[in-house]
Amino acid sequence: MKKPQPVPPALCGFLVLLALIFTVSYAVGAATGPVAPGMHRSGTGGDGGGMDPGDTADMPMRHGSGG
């Protein structure tokens, strides 16, 4: 019977580095908070949207291909 191949050290190192990058990224994002104006953390409002629909009245709503 063949002995199973051990996991290559490069693969283990890559996975550890990937997990570390995601952890640091999450921590920085959580510490910084929202970056867009008018954005609120989820769970703070009862409507689930976080924005009052009246806040969008002065926003330009030009969608399309120009013209």
Side-chain angles (χ1 to χ4, degrees), residues 30-57:
T32 303
V35 294
M39 199 171 184
H40 304 286
R41 292 190 183 270
S42 61
T44 57
D47 62 353
M51 280 184 65
D52 182 20
D55 291 344
T56 60

Side-chain angles (χ1 to χ4, degrees), residues 1-64:
M1 186 175 260
K2 285 177 117 178
K3 189 176 170 184
Q5 293 286 336
V7 179
L11 179 61
C12 289
F14 174 74
L15 293 176
V16 168
L17 183 63
L18 192 66
L20 181 68
I21 288 172
F22 278 116
T23 302
V24 170
S25 173
Y26 180 81
V28 169
T32 303
V35 294
M39 199 171 184
H40 304 286
R41 292 190 183 270
S42 61
T44 57
D47 62 353
M51 280 184 65
D52 182 20
D55 291 344
T56 60
D58 60 343
M59 295 175 66
M61 296 292 179
R62 296 188 331 206
H63 301 285

